Amino acid sequence: MLAFAEIGHLALFIALICSICQTGLPVFGLAGRYSHSQFLAISRLLQLLATLLVIFSFSALIYSFIVSDFSMALVASHSHSAKPLIYKISGSWGNHEGSLLLWIVILVLFGGLFAATSKHLPDRFSLLTLSVQASVTASFLAFSLFTSSPFERLDIAPLDGRGLNPVLQDIGLALHPPMLYLGYVGLSLAFSMAVAGLIEGNISRQWGQWVRPWALSAWCALTLGIALGSWWAYYELGWGGWWFWDPVENASLMPWLAATALIHSALVVEKRGQLKSWTILLAILAFSLSLVGTFIVRSGLLTSVHSFASDPSRGVFILCILLVATGLPLLLFAWRGPTLSTRSDAGFISRDTALIINNIILVMATAIVLIGTFYPLGLELAVGQRITVGPPYFDATFNPVMAVALIGMAIAPVTMWKSGMLAHARVALIVAAIGAVVAVAIGGGAGVADNAAAMAGLALLGWLGFGVLADMQKRLKFHQPASILARIGKLDGAIWGVWLGHLGMAVFMLGALGDGLGRQEQTIRASAGDVIMLSDRQYRFIEMQQNQGPNYTTRTALLALEELDGTLLGYMRPETRFYPAERQTTTEAAIRPRISGDDYAVLADGDDEIGYSLRLYHKPFVSWIWGGAVIMAIGGLIALSARTTARRTSTNIKQTS
Amino acid sequence: MARISARTLFLLPVAGFVVLGIIFTIALMTNLSGTAKIDPLPSILAGKPAPELPSQRLEGTGADMSDPLSAYAGRPVLINFMASWCAPCRAEIPALETLSDELVIIAIAYKDKEADLRQFLDEYGNPYASVWMDTDGAIGRRWGIYGVPESFLIDGDGIVRLRHAGPVFSDVINDILIPALEQM
């Protein structure tokens, strides 16, 4: 069974050969001697083969982790026989080499899925798309095999592994990378289709229809992946924050912003035949930004909590991939793009205009994050000075730009294509304005009237939430529940995607504003018996406890959370864990999550003489942040399924007629 | 004319990307050759009086005194947080022995045991004017160290002038400590 890994290694080489052949196929296929369909059949076969081989290879790696084969260098340094099974498995992608292989797995999965579902697309276009996708796959396979092979053996196998890092044994962290990669890499297919379209020099309206499901599914995964990462940081790091504008967080936000623009502009291509060149550019940029993210995490260029593989020679390789995979398509775009331009025939008040504004704003936001992330790097190179760009910059630049987007998110759904607004638009917008006024009034009553940014945020929240709800009410007529199902049946399913996507944003904002404005926090040194007040509740410090875990010792502060009149709400047990074998201390925050807000307690250092340092927070509505992201992703999935159903129906009609 | 400007517009993404690509390449190259000059992180203690020092001396090291600094008032001192269980702390001993000809070095043994410490000093050498115990690590926390070895240069007035995290080798002495001493 030891040879399992060697077969997996070999499978990767064969997959590389398949991908290289597949990349070259159109060169012969387009020369014209044979029909495209024959070459396409070969290309599909090669794609299928590569997909199976890479999946086999990844299974072999996971198997080596499950059986703790410490003769493999990767297993020896990142696993341990005492780890729970789930973390042995997740350990296989919790490192540079393994996560790179996971990245390739997703790349070939998307390629294989496209090969299997693209029967209704033109042969030439499918052939080109598969070829571009295969070229990306081949680059990453080469990257993996020649600079960071996961299948290296050790001459002498150690008795046990070294990978028992307690911080990394966490379910949020086990799921965050696969989800994020699904998003990053999913964008590769939109990219391949864009490049294929550019090579053909002809983008049809259907192109928008073809590319949107891929972009949508990648966008959903990216949304969830980012939310998972943020949630992990919130409950595990014990800093009480959920977004830090860390370079790597920014690296995942940039493709998300570009992909959000893409799923909107592809709609314009599909419905109106406009914005073609712009949409192509977005498809290229969204994936390029994913590559930039991969590059900065793996080259160690920007220091961050995520930099787990700072090996410069790997950096060079991935920089080459980035330069070729972005540079060539952009040159192609500069050459072919101008011929794709169309003159708009839409009126100013129209969904076309709304979506163009949406795109401009999202691209500006992407640029703002890009500059904020790389300006320090440029400055360091130019004058050798190290600075950090943090929340003040993003508050001043990113937030105002996104505010405009939020205004538009309530307006766009009630506009019509080409020109005009829906009949109920006026009512919906008046309700939205009332919502804004109500939110401002609530904010004023809660005592944030002197904070202009906060008031603007609240106004936007009310505007967006009420605007979307009013649109739903107008179309669904909740006050006539008897016939509501019939109305739902008649609606275009995609509208639910719009509603949930935009409502999810409002829910997210409620969480972000609730935490940002209403957060109460206190850092205090306390001893057993003390009572600490925090907003409308109090913590009674009962005692310190010492406990023995499976491979760690804990110090736990037992706190009773009470209302001010002494009614017990629950016990909070923040603890610090000491892992003697790893000489590592971790902080486990105690969190009491409720819909109305979280209570959050952290125990820091201290002893019985000087007291213990406690950090206590009350964070109103904070869970809504991730709830909003989940709602957005659900909206994306509904839009996706509504599209596939619609396509199937239209194909059926075509076949019967 | 309008045609040309449209072309230029379509070249903009390429231009933007080229700038980013150049930044990445240069950054990677400077990383590779290791010539990147980065200001070391300043310690928040710099310019402030030295925090609390331990009062428990390892017997047999230094003269009979009750606190580490009083005997050296008016002279610069290097406070060296170390531990017998720390490998880089062994590696820095030879360089510290050279340095001890010019500068008083005081060790603070972080989370250490006396017996281990004596064995360590016998085995690797003792460049220290005196060795003091920080058994529970409380002093280390006051100083904000994030590991051992870590060293602080204190001037004659008891003000922290410089912090160096990591072992003191001859290049650290020549490039960092001696220039700092000359400035005092």
Side-chain angles (χ1 to χ4, degrees), chain A residues 309-330:
Chain A
S310 34
D311 178 346
S313 69
R314 287 170 186 161
V316 172
F317 203 110
I318 198 157
L319 181 61
C320 291
I321 297 183
L322 176 66
L323 293 179
V324 174
T326 309
L328 287 184
L330 284 181

Side-chain angles (χ1 to χ4, degrees), chain A residues 11-344:
Chain A
L12 277 192
F13 273 103
I14 305 175
L16 174 61
I17 295 168
C18 287
S19 300
I20 292 174
C21 294
Q22 205 189 347
T23 307
L25 269 181
V27 179
F28 306 100
L30 299 183
R33 260 185 83 184
Y34 303 95
S35 75
H36 293 146
S37 60
Q38 283 167 318
F39 278 96
L40 182 57
I42 301 172
S43 183
R44 287 202 170 116
L45 195 68
L46 286 171
Q47 179 67 53
L48 201 65
L49 199 59
T51 308
L52 291 176
L53 286 165
V54 174
I55 290 175
F56 173 81
S57 178
F58 191 54
S59 314
L61 183 68
I62 292 180
Y63 175 79
S64 309
F65 270 85
I66 292 176
V67 301
S68 294
D69 176 0
F70 294 125
S71 71
M72 278 175 63
L74 199 63
V75 183
S77 51
H78 294 104
S79 195
H80 191 283
S81 56
K83 261 189 184 181
L85 181 64
I86 172 93
Y87 297 124
K88 279 185 187 167
I89 296 175
S90 70
S92 60
W93 61 74
N95 54 76
H96 165 70
E97 289 84 354
S99 66
L100 187 62
L101 187 56
L102 175 66
W103 168 282
I104 299 170
V105 168
I106 296 171
L107 207 49
V108 293
L109 270 181
F110 271 93
L113 214 57
F114 177 82
T117 60
S118 58
K119 297 277 192 294
H120 60 285
L121 304 186
D123 289 350
R124 198 179 132 101
F125 177 75
S126 301
L127 183 62
L128 282 169
T129 303
L130 281 172
S131 162
V132 177
Q133 183 80 5
S135 69
V136 178
T137 311
S139 321
F140 275 91
L141 276 170
F143 180 35
S144 169
L145 282 168
F146 301 130
T147 72
S148 23
S149 167
F151 294 107
E152 296 284 325
R153 289 276 185 193
L154 293 172
D155 289 337
I156 302 161
L159 290 177
D160 212 327
R162 284 182 281 119
L164 203 60
N165 189 341
V167 182
L168 299 180
Q169 291 183 38
D170 179 87
I171 194 71
L173 205 59
L175 295 180
H176 163 59
M179 198 51 99
L180 201 59
Y181 284 7
L182 212 53
Y184 272 0
V185 184
L187 290 171
S188 67
L189 209 69
F191 166 85
S192 298
M193 292 170 97
V195 177
L198 277 178
I199 295 173
E200 284 208 298
N202 174 29
I203 304 285
S204 62
R205 279 171 68 160
Q206 281 88 0
W207 183 89
Q209 191 185 340
W210 299 332
V211 81
R212 237 171 76 84
W214 300 103
L216 259 176
S217 49
W219 179 86
C220 291
L222 200 52
T223 308
L224 289 177
I226 296 173
L228 263 175
S230 148
W231 179 62
W232 174 78
Y234 171 72
Y235 78 78
E236 178 68 27
L237 295 182
W239 301 332
W242 51 274
W243 190 264
F244 300 96
W245 295 107
D246 171 277
V248 175
E249 287 175 341
N250 296 348
S252 66
L253 185 63
M254 286 187 278
W256 186 84
L257 291 166
T260 311
L262 174 63
I263 57 181
H264 287 92
S265 75
L267 199 62
V268 184
V269 176
E270 178 185 342
K271 302 279 186 199
R272 303 273 296 130
Q274 309 269 343
L275 290 192
K276 285 174 182 171
S277 57
W278 177 250
T279 308
I280 293 274
L281 179 63
L282 283 178
I284 295 171
L285 285 184
F287 183 58
S288 302
L289 289 169
S290 303
L291 288 178
V292 168
T294 312
F295 169 70
I296 64 171
V297 179
R298 285 160 203 275
S299 63
L301 265 199
L302 296 175
T303 36
S304 137
V305 287
H306 292 75
S307 323
F308 58 97
S310 34
D311 178 346
S313 69
R314 287 170 186 161
V316 172
F317 203 110
I318 198 157
L319 181 61
C320 291
I321 297 183
L322 176 66
L323 293 179
V324 174
T326 309
L328 287 184
L330 284 181
L331 281 172
L332 195 62
F333 174 76
W335 177 39
R336 281 282 170 82
T339 62
L340 299 172
S341 297
T342 42
R343 195 158 287 279
S344 173

Side-chain angles (χ1 to χ4, degrees), chain B residues 61-119:
Chain B
T61 63
D64 191 14
M65 52 190 175
S66 60
D67 85 285
L69 285 182
S70 57
Y72 310 104
R75 291 168 61 188
V77 170
L78 188 74
I79 304 276
N80 178 242
F81 281 89
M82 48 77 74
S84 65
W85 43 261
C86 136
C89 300
R90 297 170 193 178
E92 68 176 347
I93 293 286
L96 286 181
E97 290 202 308
T98 323
L99 183 66
S100 64
D101 299 339
E102 303 173 35
L103 184 65
V104 175
I105 308 174
I106 293 170
I108 298 179
Y110 178 78
K111 292 192 176 174
D112 214 336
K113 297 196 184 85
E114 284 199 11
D116 295 348
L117 203 52
R118 283 187 203 287
Q119 196 188 344

